[in-house]
Amino acid sequence: MQRRQKPGALEQKREREAQGGAFSTSHSDSRSFFSLSQLVLSAGNLKASPALKHSKTTYFEVEILDVQSKKQICIVDKLPPSSTLLDVKHKFHKACPQWNPSRVGLQLERNGPYLKDSINIQSLAVSSIITLYFTDLGQQVGWTTFFLTEYTGPLLIYLLFYIRLSTIYDQLESKKNFRHPVVHLACFCHCLHYSRHLLETLFVHRLSGGHTPLKNMIKGCAFYWGFTSWIAYYINHPWYTPPSFGHRQVSFAALAFLMCEAGNHFINVALAHQTHSGSKACFPSPTYNPFTWLFLLVSCPNYTYEVGSWISFTVMTQTLPVGIFAFLMVIQMSLWAQKKHKLYLKRCYPEVRRKAAMIPIIF
């Protein structure tokens, strides 16, 4: 009987051990599955979250100092690399409302040039902190306002002298009915010139959204308005003497004046509608219009036609004030043409290198 019981007890013991091992194995498997599920849930998506990507973006801080005292005015922070200097000016205006963005001048160095609004701040950065110097540019006006004011004055001033106000000329002399035809022609040409400028400012020229100091507009108005008053006073004076060569001189000069005005207009239209290739503007090429063929000889034909108009007006009226004004215009236009010609050369226009700036051979 004892020999029979021992195998039974041994079998029961082995059965209990097998059941215990199976239970421990299933229990460890469940624990491993639970741990794996918790790991998956805590890990989430395998892709990087947008927050992590955004955290890698480098932001810039712009420290703005006064150009005279070198004292810190404010710090413009959290600027992304795509920000421009215009964005800096707008944030500077929010921090200091008394400084309008149009009158804020920013420089990398105290004696350096003013930076353009379109410059990207990343191109200025050596580190994450950029130091700029602030200068108050004074009261500013838009370019459209500048040109409209500058050209409207001569148009109205000349008409006031043309109607011969009693406060300008002697009443008895002003009552003379006869006027030489060149007086009426000169009024027509003068009004045509400035009317063209006004219409082109509104509908042709693509003026930038920038500004210019108010003092520049005052200087320009003083120059144009003052010379217009002097010119109109002489031409519309009752004692005005007609040109020496009479009708032939007047007719030839008037025809040249109208041709120069037409050429100036067509050149301005060509400059406004010039084609673009890539990031650099192409130099305008002559078209079927004969007035644009001057592009073959000079790089700034609009200044050539402008000077031609005033020289023709001088010959037509044969007055000293117009001659002095034409001489000053030649000097001013030649300086502008040289500056623009150098800009064309910097843009690597090979066709400009063989051309003059304004007048062939001379300039």
Side-chain angles (χ1 to χ4, degrees):
M1 293 296 290
Q2 291 177 357
R3 292 178 180 176
R4 292 179 180 177
Q5 289 177 354
K6 286 180 180 179
L10 183 61
E11 290 176 359
Q12 291 178 359
K13 183 177 180 180
R14 290 178 177 176
E15 184 178 357
R16 286 195 301 269
E17 289 176 356
Q19 289 178 357
F23 175 77
S24 62
T25 303
S26 62
H27 182 66
S28 63
D29 292 340
S30 62
R31 289 182 63 184
S32 299
F33 177 77
F34 177 77
S35 300
L36 180 62
S37 62
Q38 290 294 327
L39 179 62
V40 171
L41 291 175
S42 62
N45 295 331
L46 296 178
K47 296 181 179 180
S49 61
L52 293 176
K53 289 183 178 180
H54 185 69
S55 62
K56 296 180 181 179
T57 303
T58 302
Y59 289 91
F60 294 95
E61 292 184 0
V62 177
E63 181 187 24
I64 301 178
L65 307 179
D66 184 75
V67 71
Q68 299 294 336
S69 62
K70 294 185 180 181
K71 293 183 179 179
Q72 185 185 95
I73 300 177
C74 73
I75 294 179
V76 180
D77 57 355
K78 295 182 180 180
L79 289 169
S82 59
S83 300
T84 61
L85 210 63
L86 183 61
D87 299 327
V88 176
K89 290 183 178 182
H90 282 293
K91 289 195 173 184
F92 177 68
H93 175 60
K94 290 182 180 180
C96 304
Q98 68 271 24
W99 306 116
N100 191 279
S102 62
R103 61 187 299 168
V104 174
L106 297 177
Q107 305 162 276
L108 272 177
E109 300 176 356
R110 296 183 66 187
N111 297 325
Y114 294 112
L115 302 174
K116 295 183 179 180
D117 293 344
S118 59
I119 293 180
N120 192 287
I121 62 170
Q122 192 173 12
S123 63
L124 306 174
V126 179
S127 63
S128 60
I129 300 178
I130 306 171
T131 301
L132 298 178
Y133 293 94
F134 161 74
T135 301
D136 181 16
L137 300 178
Q139 187 65 34
Q140 304 286 301
V141 293
W143 283 111
T144 302
T145 304
F146 176 86
F147 288 117
L148 291 179
T149 306
E150 192 175 64
Y151 296 142
T152 302
L155 182 64
L156 300 178
I157 290 173
Y158 196 96
L159 291 176
L160 291 177
F161 282 91
Y162 176 74
I163 62 177
R164 290 185 177 178
L165 295 177
S166 58
T167 55
I168 300 176
Y169 301 109
D170 184 74
Q171 294 184 0
L172 297 177
E173 296 291 339
S174 300
K175 290 181 180 179
K176 293 181 178 180
N177 296 325
F178 176 77
R179 291 189 188 184
H180 196 276
V182 71
V183 175
H184 305 290
L185 184 60
C187 180
F188 170 79
C189 292
H190 192 275
C191 294
L192 176 66
H193 178 79
Y194 284 102
S195 297
R196 179 184 60 80
H197 275 302
L198 290 173
L199 294 176
E200 288 177 352
T201 300
L202 294 174
F203 304 108
V204 177
H205 294 302
R206 296 181 179 181
L207 300 174
S208 62
H211 299 77
T212 185
L214 179 62
K215 60 181 181 181
N216 289 346
M217 189 180 75
I218 296 175
K219 291 179 182 178
C221 290
F223 177 77
Y224 281 98
W225 293 16
F227 263 102
T228 299
S229 301
W230 191 22
I231 291 170
Y233 177 82
Y234 269 80
I235 296 177
N236 296 286
H237 199 281
W239 291 355
Y240 169 72
T241 303
S244 303
F245 296 95
H247 180 71
R248 291 183 179 181
Q249 179 178 344
V250 173
S251 301
F252 173 78
L255 180 62
F257 178 87
L258 294 177
M259 291 179 63
C260 290
E261 288 294 306
N264 202 340
H265 171 70
F266 289 120
I267 292 297
N268 289 331
V269 172
L271 292 173
H273 296 86
Q274 58 183 321
T275 57
H276 290 74
S277 61
S279 60
K280 294 183 179 180
C282 296
F283 184 77
S285 57
T287 63
Y288 62 89
N289 189 338
F291 290 101
T292 62
W293 295 351
L294 199 57
F295 274 121
L296 298 172
L297 301 176
V298 296
S299 60
C300 304
N302 53 326
Y303 297 142
T304 307
Y305 282 123
E306 183 76 12
V307 169
S309 295
W310 286 111
I311 294 177
S312 302
F313 195 77
T314 303
V315 176
M316 181 177 61
T317 57
Q318 195 174 311
T319 53
L320 179 63
V322 183
I324 296 175
F325 182 76
F327 176 74
L328 295 177
M329 290 296 289
V330 170
I331 297 175
Q332 182 63 71
M333 294 295 167
S334 63
L335 294 176
W336 289 344
Q338 289 289 343
K339 184 178 179 180
K340 196 170 183 180
H341 187 77
K342 291 180 181 178
L343 181 61
Y344 285 147
L345 292 176
K346 288 183 179 180
R347 293 180 178 178
C348 300
Y349 293 146
E351 60 270 25
V352 179
R353 297 175 184 175
R354 299 185 298 269
K355 299 177 182 178
M358 187 179 73
I359 301 176
I361 301 175
I362 300 178
F363 295 103

